[in-house]
Coordinates of all heavy atoms in Angstrom, one line a residue:
M1 N -0.3 19.3 0.0 CA 0.3 19.8 -1.3 C -0.5 19.0 -2.4 O -0.6 17.8 -2.3 CB 1.8 19.6 -1.4 CG 2.4 20.4 -2.5 SD 4.0 19.7 -2.9 CE 4.9 20.0 -1.3
K2 N -0.9 19.8 -3.4 CA -1.6 19.2 -4.6 C -0.6 18.9 -5.7 O 0.1 19.8 -6.1 CB -2.7 20.1 -5.0 CG -3.7 19.5 -6.0 CD -4.6 18.6 -5.4 CE -5.5 18.0 -6.5 NZ -6.2 16.7 -6.2
C3 N -0.5 17.7 -6.2 CA 0.4 17.3 -7.2 C -0.3 17.4 -8.6 O -1.4 17.1 -8.7 CB 1.0 15.9 -6.9 SG 2.1 15.4 -8.2
V4 N 0.5 17.6 -9.6 CA 0.0 17.8 -10.9 C -0.5 16.4 -11.5 O -1.3 16.3 -12.4 CB 1.0 18.3 -12.0 CG1 1.3 19.7 -11.8 CG2 2.3 17.5 -11.9
T5 N 0.0 15.3 -10.8 CA -0.4 14.0 -11.2 C -1.8 13.7 -10.8 O -2.5 12.8 -11.2 CB 0.5 12.9 -10.7 OG1 0.4 13.0 -9.3 CG2 1.9 13.1 -11.2
G6 N -2.3 14.5 -9.7 CA -3.7 14.3 -9.2 C -3.7 13.1 -8.2 O -4.8 12.8 -7.6
K7 N -2.5 12.5 -8.0 CA -2.6 11.4 -7.0 C -2.4 11.8 -5.6 O -1.9 12.9 -5.4 CB -1.3 10.5 -7.3 CG -1.3 9.8 -8.7 CD -0.1 9.0 -8.9 CE -0.1 8.1 -10.1 NZ 1.0 7.3 -10.3
N8 N -2.8 11.0 -4.6 CA -2.5 11.3 -3.2 C -1.0 11.3 -3.1 O -0.3 10.5 -3.6 CB -3.0 10.1 -2.4 CG -4.5 10.3 -2.1 OD1 -5.1 11.4 -2.1 ND2 -5.2 9.2 -1.9
A9 N -0.5 12.3 -2.3 CA 0.9 12.4 -2.0 C 1.2 12.1 -0.5 O 0.4 12.5 0.3 CB 1.4 13.7 -2.4
Y10 N 2.3 11.4 -0.3 CA 2.7 11.0 1.0 C 4.0 11.7 1.3 O 4.9 11.7 0.5 CB 2.7 9.5 1.3 CG 1.4 8.9 1.0 CD1 1.1 8.3 -0.3 CD2 0.4 8.9 1.9 CE1 -0.1 7.8 -0.5 CE2 -0.8 8.3 1.6 CZ -1.1 7.8 0.5 OH -2.3 7.2 0.2
E11 N 4.2 12.3 2.5 CA 5.3 13.1 2.8 C 6.7 12.4 2.9 O 7.7 13.0 2.7 CB 5.1 13.9 4.1 CG 5.0 13.0 5.3 CD 4.3 13.6 6.5 OE1 3.4 14.5 6.3 OE2 4.6 13.2 7.6
S12 N 6.7 11.1 3.1 CA 7.9 10.4 3.2 C 7.7 8.9 2.7 O 6.6 8.4 2.6 CB 8.4 10.3 4.6 OG 7.6 9.5 5.4
E13 N 8.8 8.3 2.4 CA 8.8 6.9 2.1 C 8.1 6.0 3.0 O 7.3 5.1 2.7 CB 10.2 6.4 1.8 CG 10.3 4.9 1.3 CD 11.6 4.5 0.9 OE1 12.6 5.2 1.2 OE2 11.8 3.4 0.3
E14 N 8.4 6.3 4.3 CA 7.9 5.6 5.4 C 6.3 5.6 5.5 O 5.6 4.6 5.6 CB 8.4 6.1 6.7 CG 8.5 5.1 7.9 CD 9.2 3.8 7.5 OE1 10.2 3.8 6.9 OE2 8.7 2.8 7.9
V15 N 5.8 6.8 5.3 CA 4.4 7.1 5.3 C 3.7 6.4 4.1 O 2.7 5.8 4.3 CB 4.1 8.6 5.4 CG1 2.6 8.9 5.2 CG2 4.6 9.2 6.7
A16 N 4.4 6.5 3.0 CA 3.8 5.9 1.8 C 3.8 4.4 1.9 O 2.8 3.8 1.5 CB 4.6 6.3 0.5
R17 N 4.8 3.9 2.4 CA 4.9 2.4 2.6 C 3.8 1.9 3.5 O 3.1 0.9 3.1 CB 6.2 2.1 3.2 CG 6.5 0.6 3.4 CD 7.8 0.4 4.1 NE 9.0 0.9 3.3 CZ 10.2 0.4 3.3 NH1 10.4 -0.7 4.0 NH2 11.2 0.8 2.6
E18 N 3.5 2.6 4.6 CA 2.5 2.2 5.5 C 1.1 2.4 4.8 O 0.2 1.5 5.0 CB 2.6 3.0 6.8 CG 1.6 2.7 7.9 CD 1.6 1.2 8.3 OE1 2.7 0.6 8.2 OE2 0.6 0.7 8.7
A19 N 0.9 3.4 4.1 CA -0.3 3.7 3.4 C -0.6 2.7 2.4 O -1.8 2.2 2.2 CB -0.3 5.1 2.8
L20 N 0.4 2.1 1.7 CA 0.2 1.1 0.7 C -0.1 -0.2 1.3 O -1.0 -0.9 0.8 CB 1.5 0.9 -0.1 CG 1.5 -0.1 -1.3 CD1 0.3 0.1 -2.2 CD2 2.8 -0.2 -2.0
I21 N 0.4 -0.5 2.5 CA 0.1 -1.7 3.2 C -1.4 -1.6 3.7 O -2.2 -2.6 3.5 CB 1.0 -2.0 4.5 CG1 2.4 -2.3 4.0 CG2 0.4 -3.1 5.4 CD1 3.5 -2.3 5.1
Q22 N -1.7 -0.5 4.2 CA -3.2 -0.2 4.6 C -4.1 -0.4 3.4 O -5.2 -0.9 3.5 CB -3.4 1.1 5.2 CG -2.7 1.3 6.6 CD -3.2 0.2 7.6 OE1 -4.4 -0.2 7.6 NE2 -2.3 -0.3 8.4
N23 N -3.6 0.1 2.2 CA -4.5 0.0 1.0 C -4.7 -1.4 0.6 O -5.8 -1.8 0.2 CB -3.8 0.8 -0.2 CG -4.5 0.7 -1.4 OD1 -4.6 -0.2 -2.2 ND2 -5.2 1.9 -1.8
R24 N -3.6 -2.2 0.7 CA -3.7 -3.6 0.4 C -4.7 -4.3 1.3 O -5.4 -5.3 0.9 CB -2.4 -4.4 0.4 CG -1.3 -3.8 -0.4 CD -1.4 -3.8 -1.9 NE -1.7 -5.2 -2.4 CZ -1.8 -5.5 -3.7 NH1 -1.7 -4.6 -4.6 NH2 -2.0 -6.7 -4.1
I25 N -4.7 -3.9 2.6 CA -5.6 -4.5 3.5 C -7.0 -4.1 3.2 O -8.0 -5.0 3.3 CB -5.2 -4.1 5.0 CG1 -3.9 -4.7 5.4 CG2 -6.3 -4.5 6.0 CD1 -3.2 -4.1 6.6
R26 N -7.2 -2.8 3.0 CA -8.6 -2.3 2.9 C -9.3 -2.9 1.6 O -10.4 -3.3 1.6 CB -8.6 -0.8 2.8 CG -10.0 -0.2 2.6 CD -10.0 1.3 3.0 NE -9.1 1.7 4.0 CZ -8.4 2.9 4.0 NH1 -8.6 3.7 3.1 NH2 -7.6 3.1 5.0
F27 N -8.6 -3.0 0.5 CA -9.2 -3.4 -0.7 C -8.9 -4.8 -1.1 O -9.6 -5.4 -2.0 CB -8.8 -2.5 -1.9 CG -9.1 -1.0 -1.7 CD1 -8.2 -0.1 -1.3 CD2 -10.5 -0.6 -1.7 CE1 -8.5 1.2 -1.0 CE2 -10.8 0.7 -1.5 CZ -9.9 1.6 -1.1
N28 N -8.0 -5.5 -0.4 CA -7.8 -6.9 -0.6 C -7.6 -7.2 -2.1 O -8.3 -8.1 -2.6 CB -9.0 -7.8 0.0 CG -8.5 -9.3 0.1 OD1 -7.4 -9.6 -0.1 ND2 -9.5 -10.1 0.4
H29 N -6.8 -6.5 -2.7 CA -6.5 -6.7 -4.1 C -6.1 -8.1 -4.5 O -5.3 -8.7 -3.8 CB -5.4 -5.7 -4.6 CG -5.7 -4.2 -4.4 ND1 -6.7 -3.6 -5.1 CD2 -5.2 -3.4 -3.6 CE1 -6.7 -2.4 -4.6 NE2 -5.8 -2.2 -3.7
R30 N -6.5 -8.5 -5.7 CA -6.0 -9.8 -6.1 C -4.5 -9.6 -6.5 O -4.1 -8.5 -6.8 CB -6.8 -10.3 -7.4 CG -7.9 -11.1 -7.0 CD -8.7 -11.4 -8.3 NE -9.1 -10.2 -9.0 CZ -9.7 -10.1 -10.1 NH1 -9.9 -11.3 -10.8 NH2 -10.0 -9.0 -10.7
Q31 N -3.8 -10.7 -6.5 CA -2.4 -10.7 -6.9 C -2.2 -10.0 -8.3 O -3.0 -10.3 -9.2 CB -1.8 -12.1 -7.0 CG -0.3 -12.1 -7.1 CD 0.4 -12.7 -5.9 OE1 -0.2 -13.5 -5.2 NE2 1.5 -12.2 -5.5
G32 N -1.3 -9.0 -8.4 CA -1.1 -8.4 -9.6 C -2.0 -7.3 -10.0 O -2.0 -6.7 -11.1
S33 N -3.0 -6.9 -9.1 CA -3.8 -5.8 -9.3 C -3.7 -4.7 -8.2 O -3.2 -5.1 -7.1 CB -5.3 -6.2 -9.5 OG -5.8 -6.6 -8.3
G34 N -4.2 -3.5 -8.5 CA -4.1 -2.5 -7.5 C -2.7 -1.9 -7.4 O -1.8 -2.3 -8.1
P35 N -2.4 -0.9 -6.5 CA -1.1 -0.4 -6.5 C -0.1 -1.4 -5.8 O -0.5 -2.2 -4.9 CB -1.3 0.8 -5.5 CG -2.5 0.5 -4.7 CD -3.4 -0.3 -5.6
I36 N 1.1 -1.4 -6.4 CA 2.0 -2.5 -5.9 C 3.4 -1.9 -5.5 O 4.2 -2.5 -5.0 CB 2.3 -3.5 -7.1 CG1 2.7 -2.8 -8.4 CG2 1.1 -4.4 -7.3 CD1 3.3 -3.7 -9.4
N37 N 3.5 -0.5 -5.7 CA 4.8 0.0 -5.3 C 4.6 1.5 -5.0 O 3.6 2.1 -5.3 CB 5.8 -0.2 -6.3 CG 7.3 -0.4 -5.7 OD1 7.5 0.1 -4.7 ND2 8.1 -1.0 -6.5
I38 N 5.6 2.1 -4.5 CA 5.7 3.5 -4.2 C 6.9 4.2 -4.9 O 7.8 3.5 -5.2 CB 5.7 3.8 -2.7 CG1 7.0 3.2 -2.1 CG2 4.4 3.4 -2.0 CD1 7.2 3.6 -0.6
Y39 N 6.8 5.4 -5.2 CA 7.9 6.1 -5.8 C 7.9 7.6 -5.4 O 6.9 8.2 -5.1 CB 7.9 6.0 -7.4 CG 6.7 6.8 -8.0 CD1 7.0 8.0 -8.6 CD2 5.5 6.2 -8.1 CE1 6.0 8.7 -9.2 CE2 4.4 6.9 -8.6 CZ 4.7 8.2 -9.2 OH 3.7 9.0 -9.8
Q40 N 9.1 8.2 -5.5 CA 9.2 9.6 -5.2 C 8.9 10.4 -6.5 O 9.5 10.1 -7.5 CB 10.5 10.0 -4.6 CG 10.5 11.4 -4.1 CD 11.8 11.7 -3.2 OE1 12.8 11.1 -3.4 NE2 11.7 12.7 -2.4
C41 N 8.0 11.3 -6.4 CA 7.6 12.1 -7.6 C 8.6 13.2 -7.9 O 9.2 13.9 -7.1 CB 6.3 12.7 -7.2 SG 5.5 13.7 -8.5
S42 N 8.8 13.4 -9.2 CA 9.8 14.4 -9.6 C 9.1 15.7 -9.7 O 9.8 16.8 -9.8 CB 10.4 14.1 -11.0 OG 9.4 13.8 -11.9
D43 N 7.8 15.8 -9.6 CA 7.1 17.1 -9.6 C 6.9 17.7 -8.2 O 7.3 18.8 -7.9 CB 5.7 17.0 -10.2 CG 5.8 16.8 -11.8 OD1 6.4 17.7 -12.4 OD2 5.4 15.8 -12.3
C44 N 6.4 16.8 -7.3 CA 6.1 17.4 -5.9 C 7.1 16.9 -4.9 O 7.0 17.4 -3.7 CB 4.7 17.0 -5.5 SG 4.4 15.3 -5.2
Q45 N 8.0 16.0 -5.3 CA 9.0 15.5 -4.3 C 8.4 14.7 -3.2 O 9.1 14.2 -2.3 CB 9.9 16.6 -3.7 CG 10.5 17.5 -4.7 CD 11.3 16.8 -5.7 OE1 12.1 15.9 -5.4 NE2 11.2 17.1 -7.0
E46 N 7.1 14.4 -3.2 CA 6.5 13.6 -2.3 C 6.3 12.2 -2.9 O 6.8 11.9 -4.0 CB 5.1 14.1 -1.8 CG 5.4 15.5 -1.1 CD 4.3 15.9 -0.1 OE1 3.2 15.2 -0.1 OE2 4.5 16.9 0.6
W47 N 5.7 11.3 -2.2 CA 5.6 9.8 -2.6 C 4.2 9.5 -3.1 O 3.2 9.9 -2.5 CB 6.1 9.0 -1.4 CG 7.5 9.1 -1.2 CD1 8.1 10.2 -0.5 CD2 8.6 8.3 -1.5 NE1 9.5 10.0 -0.5 CE2 9.8 8.8 -1.1 CE3 8.7 7.0 -2.2 CZ2 11.0 8.3 -1.2 CZ3 9.9 6.4 -2.4 CH2 11.1 7.1 -1.9
H48 N 4.2 8.7 -4.1 CA 2.9 8.2 -4.7 C 2.9 6.7 -4.8 O 3.9 6.1 -4.8 CB 2.6 8.8 -6.1 CG 2.6 10.3 -6.2 ND1 1.8 11.1 -5.4 CD2 3.3 11.2 -7.0 CE1 2.0 12.4 -5.8 NE2 2.9 12.4 -6.7
F49 N 1.6 6.2 -5.0 CA 1.5 4.7 -5.4 C 1.7 4.6 -6.9 O 1.3 5.5 -7.6 CB 0.1 4.2 -5.0 CG -0.2 4.2 -3.5 CD1 -1.6 4.0 -3.2 CD2 0.8 4.4 -2.6 CE1 -1.9 3.9 -1.8 CE2 0.4 4.3 -1.3 CZ -0.9 4.1 -0.9
T50 N 2.1 3.4 -7.2 CA 2.0 3.1 -8.7 C 1.5 1.6 -8.8 O 1.8 0.8 -7.9 CB 3.4 3.3 -9.4 OG1 3.3 2.9 -10.7 CG2 4.5 2.4 -8.7
S51 N 0.8 1.4 -9.9 CA 0.4 0.0 -10.2 C 1.2 -0.6 -11.3 O 1.0 -1.8 -11.7 CB -1.1 0.0 -10.5 OG -1.3 0.9 -11.6
K52 N 2.3 0.2 -11.7 CA 3.1 -0.3 -12.8 C 4.4 -0.8 -12.3 O 4.8 -0.4 -11.2 CB 3.4 0.8 -13.9 CG 2.1 1.3 -14.5 CD 2.4 2.1 -15.7 CE 1.2 2.7 -16.4 NZ 0.8 4.0 -15.7
G53 N 5.0 -1.6 -13.1 CA 6.4 -2.1 -12.7 C 6.3 -3.3 -11.8 O 5.4 -4.0 -11.8
V54 N 7.4 -3.4 -11.0 CA 7.5 -4.6 -10.1 C 7.0 -4.3 -8.8 O 7.0 -3.2 -8.3 CB 9.0 -5.1 -10.0 CG1 9.4 -5.8 -11.3 CG2 9.9 -4.0 -9.6
E55 N 6.5 -5.4 -8.1 CA 5.9 -5.2 -6.8 C 7.0 -4.9 -5.8 O 8.1 -5.4 -5.9 CB 5.3 -6.6 -6.3 CG 4.4 -6.4 -5.2 CD 3.5 -7.7 -5.0 OE1 4.1 -8.8 -4.9 OE2 2.3 -7.6 -5.0
A56 N 6.7 -4.0 -4.9 CA 7.6 -3.6 -3.9 C 8.1 -4.7 -3.0 O 7.4 -5.6 -2.7 CB 7.0 -2.5 -3.0
D57 N 9.5 -4.7 -2.8 CA 10.0 -5.8 -2.0 C 9.4 -5.9 -0.6 O 9.1 -7.1 -0.1 CB 11.5 -5.5 -1.7 CG 12.3 -5.8 -3.0 OD1 11.9 -6.5 -3.8 OD2 13.5 -5.4 -3.0
F58 N 9.0 -4.8 0.0 CA 8.4 -4.9 1.3 C 7.1 -5.7 1.4 O 6.7 -6.2 2.4 CB 8.4 -3.5 2.0 CG 7.4 -2.6 1.4 CD1 6.1 -2.6 1.7 CD2 7.9 -1.6 0.5 CE1 5.2 -1.7 1.2 CE2 6.9 -0.7 -0.1 CZ 5.6 -0.7 0.3
L59 N 6.4 -5.7 0.2 CA 5.1 -6.4 0.2 C 5.3 -7.9 0.1 O 4.4 -8.7 0.4 CB 4.3 -6.0 -1.1 CG 3.6 -4.6 -1.1 CD1 2.9 -4.3 -2.3 CD2 2.7 -4.5 0.1
N60 N 6.5 -8.3 -0.1 CA 6.9 -9.8 -0.1 C 7.6 -10.2 1.1 O 8.0 -11.3 1.3 CB 7.7 -10.1 -1.4 CG 6.8 -10.0 -2.6 OD1 5.8 -10.6 -2.7 ND2 7.3 -9.3 -3.6
D61 N 7.7 -9.2 2.1 CA 8.2 -9.5 3.3 C 7.3 -10.4 4.1 O 6.1 -10.1 4.3 CB 8.5 -8.1 4.1 CG 9.4 -8.3 5.3 OD1 8.9 -8.8 6.3 OD2 10.5 -7.9 5.1
D62 N 7.8 -11.5 4.7 CA 7.0 -12.5 5.4 C 6.1 -11.8 6.5 O 4.9 -12.1 6.6 CB 7.8 -13.5 6.1 CG 8.3 -14.5 5.1 OD1 7.7 -14.6 3.9 OD2 9.2 -15.3 5.3
E63 N 6.7 -10.8 7.1 CA 6.1 -10.2 8.3 C 4.9 -9.4 7.7 O 3.8 -9.4 8.4 CB 7.1 -9.3 9.0 CG 6.9 -9.2 10.5 CD 8.1 -8.4 11.0 OE1 9.2 -9.0 11.2 OE2 7.9 -7.2 11.3
V64 N 5.2 -8.7 6.6 CA 4.1 -7.8 6.0 C 3.0 -8.7 5.4 O 1.8 -8.4 5.7 CB 4.7 -6.9 4.9 CG1 3.7 -6.2 4.2 CG2 5.7 -5.9 5.6
I65 N 3.4 -9.8 4.8 CA 2.4 -10.7 4.2 C 1.4 -11.2 5.3 O 0.2 -11.2 5.2 CB 3.0 -11.9 3.4 CG1 3.6 -11.3 2.2 CG2 2.0 -12.9 3.1 CD1 4.5 -12.3 1.4
D66 N 2.1 -11.6 6.4 CA 1.3 -12.2 7.5 C 0.5 -11.1 8.1 O -0.8 -11.4 8.4 CB 2.4 -12.6 8.5 CG 1.8 -13.7 9.5 OD1 1.2 -14.6 9.0 OD2 2.0 -13.5 10.7
R67 N 0.9 -9.9 8.3 CA 0.1 -8.8 8.9 C -1.1 -8.5 8.0 O -2.2 -8.4 8.5 CB 1.0 -7.6 9.0 CG 0.4 -6.6 9.9 CD 1.4 -5.4 10.0 NE 0.6 -4.2 9.9 CZ 1.1 -3.0 9.4 NH1 2.3 -3.0 9.0 NH2 0.3 -2.0 9.3
I68 N -0.9 -8.4 6.6 CA -2.0 -8.2 5.7 C -3.0 -9.2 5.8 O -4.2 -8.9 5.9 CB -1.5 -8.0 4.2 CG1 -0.6 -6.7 4.1 CG2 -2.6 -8.0 3.3 CD1 0.1 -6.5 2.8
R69 N -2.6 -10.5 5.8 CA -3.5 -11.6 5.9 C -4.3 -11.6 7.1 O -5.6 -11.7 7.1 CB -2.7 -12.9 5.8 CG -3.5 -14.1 5.3 CD -2.6 -15.3 5.3 NE -1.7 -15.3 4.1 CZ -0.5 -15.8 4.2 NH1 0.0 -16.4 5.2 NH2 0.3 -15.7 3.1
K70 N -3.7 -11.4 8.2 CA -4.4 -11.3 9.6 C -5.4 -10.2 9.6 O -6.5 -10.4 10.1 CB -3.3 -11.1 10.7 CG -2.8 -12.4 11.1 CD -1.8 -12.2 12.4 CE -1.1 -13.5 12.6 NZ 0.3 -13.2 13.2
E71 N -4.9 -9.0 9.2 CA -5.8 -7.8 9.2 C -7.0 -8.0 8.3 O -8.2 -7.5 8.7 CB -5.1 -6.5 9.0 CG -4.1 -6.3 10.1 CD -3.6 -4.8 10.3 OE1 -4.4 -4.0 10.0 OE2 -2.5 -4.6 10.8
I72 N -6.9 -8.6 7.2 CA -8.0 -8.9 6.3 C -9.0 -9.8 6.9 O -10.2 -9.6 6.9 CB -7.5 -9.4 4.9 CG1 -6.9 -8.2 4.1 CG2 -8.7 -10.0 4.1 CD1 -6.2 -8.7 2.8
R73 N -8.4 -10.8 7.6 CA -9.2 -11.9 8.1 C -10.0 -11.3 9.3 O -11.3 -11.4 9.4 CB -8.4 -13.0 8.7 CG -9.2 -14.3 9.0 CD -8.3 -15.4 9.6 NE -7.2 -15.7 8.8 CZ -6.0 -16.0 9.2 NH1 -5.7 -16.0 10.5 NH2 -5.0 -16.3 8.4
L74 N -9.3 -10.5 10.1 CA -10.0 -9.8 11.2 C -11.1 -8.8 10.8 O -12.2 -8.8 11.3 CB -8.9 -9.0 12.0 CG -9.3 -8.4 13.3 CD1 -9.6 -9.5 14.4 CD2 -8.3 -7.4 13.9
R75 N -10.8 -8.1 9.7 CA -11.8 -7.1 9.2 C -13.0 -7.8 8.6 O -14.1 -7.5 8.9 CB -11.1 -6.3 8.1 CG -12.0 -5.1 7.6 CD -11.6 -4.8 6.1 NE -11.6 -6.0 5.3 CZ -11.1 -6.1 4.1 NH1 -10.5 -5.1 3.6 NH2 -11.2 -7.2 3.4
D76 N -12.8 -8.9 7.8 CA -13.9 -9.6 7.2 C -14.7 -10.2 8.3 O -16.0 -10.2 8.2 CB -13.3 -10.7 6.3 CG -12.8 -10.2 5.0 OD1 -13.0 -9.0 4.8 OD2 -12.2 -10.9 4.2
W77 N -14.1 -10.7 9.3 CA -14.9 -11.3 10.5 C -15.7 -10.2 11.2 O -16.9 -10.5 11.5 CB -13.8 -12.0 11.4 CG -14.5 -12.7 12.5 CD1 -15.1 -13.9 12.5 CD2 -14.7 -12.2 13.9 NE1 -15.6 -14.2 13.7 CE2 -15.4 -13.2 14.6 CE3 -14.4 -11.0 14.5 CZ2 -15.7 -13.0 16.0 CZ3 -14.7 -10.9 15.9 CH2 -15.4 -11.9 16.6
T78 N -15.2 -9.1 11.4 CA -15.8 -8.0 12.0 C -17.0 -7.4 11.2 O -18.0 -7.0 11.7 CB -14.9 -6.8 12.3 OG1 -13.6 -7.3 12.6 CG2 -15.4 -6.0 13.5
N79 N -16.9 -7.6 9.9 CA -17.9 -7.1 9.0 C -19.1 -8.0 8.8 O -20.2 -7.6 8.3 CB -17.3 -6.7 7.6 CG -16.5 -5.4 7.7 OD1 -16.6 -4.7 8.7 ND2 -15.7 -5.1 6.7
E80 N -18.9 -9.2 9.2 CA -20.0 -10.2 8.9 C -21.1 -10.1 9.8 O -21.0 -9.6 11.0 CB -19.4 -11.7 9.0 CG -19.1 -12.2 7.6 CD -18.3 -13.5 7.7 OE1 -17.7 -13.9 8.7 OE2 -18.3 -14.2 6.7
Ligands
ZN101 ZN1 3.8 14.3 -7.2

C-alpha cells in the first residue's frame, strides 16, 4: 500500500519495531539522529518511522541495545 506521506509503511507495530531496530543496525545512527520511533498512520493505518519526538522505549531496552551493538560490531568486522 502506498501512503500519502510517501514513507515506507509496515503492516503492524511488531513489524515496524523490528524494521526500526534493523535500521539502527544498518545505519549506525548517532544518538539523537535518524528515526527514533514508530507510529500508526491516520491515513493508511499502517506504521511508519519518525525522527521527531521522544525515542521509543524499546530502543532503550537493555536487550535491544545489546543486540544492536553486537550486530553492528559483527557487521563492521565482516565488512573490513
Ligand atoms: Zn501512512
Side-chain angles (χ1 to χ4, degrees):
M1 197 196 300
K2 187 81 181 157
C3 177
V4 290
T5 62
K7 294 179 172 183
N8 279 332
Y10 302 96
E11 63 200 29
S12 70
E13 181 175 8
E14 204 54 42
V15 172
R17 184 183 294 215
E18 183 58 28
L20 181 57
I21 292 171
Q22 291 302 323
N23 180 285
R24 304 294 306 185
I25 292 167
R26 184 165 322 146
F27 299 107
N28 196 8
H29 301 292
R30 271 174 303 171
Q31 191 112 33
S33 75
I36 53 169
N37 212 338
I38 56 174
Y39 70 97
Q40 190 170 23
C41 183
S42 53
D43 286 304
C44 68
Q45 306 305 316
E46 298 203 353
W47 292 76
H48 301 307
F49 293 169
T50 180
S51 55
K52 298 195 185 80
V54 289
E55 196 169 55
D57 283 343
F58 67 84
L59 286 179
N60 290 308
D61 194 284
D62 284 343
E63 217 172 280
V64 172
I65 289 172
D66 202 49
R67 196 179 134 208
I68 291 174
R69 198 178 292 144
K70 274 185 190 150
E71 293 203 29
I72 286 173
R73 198 184 302 143
L74 188 69
R75 184 207 56 195
D76 288 351
W77 183 80
T78 324
N79 286 346
E80 263 173 338

